[in-house]
């Protein structure tokens, strides 16, 4: 979601997709590591579900896209904390995206 020519709406759409991928990754992590769940992880998953279930506003701002992306980054950090940095093949694109965003 970082190219300069993107509209705010397109950036937001991409950020929602990254958020959804991050949420799913943390959910898989917790499911495969029963002791990995924490209050923080559960709160982040709830925040993600709330964000993903909201109707897209008529006027999307860059700030809203950034807020969504920050939530996705926090979820990814919680996933690494709970299950380590190793990913399965289907999570590799998300790992690459997150690495690029951190730079």
């Amino acid at each position: 979601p970082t190219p300069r020519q993107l509209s705010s709406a397109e950036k937001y759409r991409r950020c929602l997709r990254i958020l959804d991928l991050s949420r799913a990754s943390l959910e898989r992590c917790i499911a495969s590591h029963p002791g990995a769940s924490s209050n923080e992880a559960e709160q982040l998953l709830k925040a993600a579900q709330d964000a993903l279930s909201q109707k897209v506003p008529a006027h999307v701002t860059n700030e809203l896209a950034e807020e969504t992306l920050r939530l996705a980054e926090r979820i990814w950090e919680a996933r690494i904390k709970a299950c380590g940095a190793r990913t399965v093949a289907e999570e590799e694109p998300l790992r690459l995206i997150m690495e690029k965003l951190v730079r």
Side-chain angles (χ1 to χ4, degrees), residues 19-85:
L19 177 61
D20 191 37
L21 291 170
S22 299
R23 179 203 49 80
S25 179
L26 180 56
E27 285 179 343
R28 279 191 300 276
C29 161
I30 291 171
S32 64
H33 299 84
S37 184
S38 69
N39 189 37
E40 175 191 19
E42 293 301 326
Q43 288 177 353
L44 289 168
L45 288 172
K46 181 175 180 346
Q49 191 58 47
D50 290 348
L52 292 165
S53 64
Q54 290 180 4
K55 185 178 177 184
V56 176
H59 178 70
V60 177
T61 64
N62 194 46
E63 289 77 18
L64 181 59
E66 289 294 326
E67 180 181 313
T68 303
L69 196 56
R70 278 192 299 276
L71 178 57
E73 290 170 342
R74 290 179 53 214
I75 291 170
W76 184 252
E77 289 168 4
R79 184 236 175 259
I80 290 174
K81 183 177 177 182
C83 295

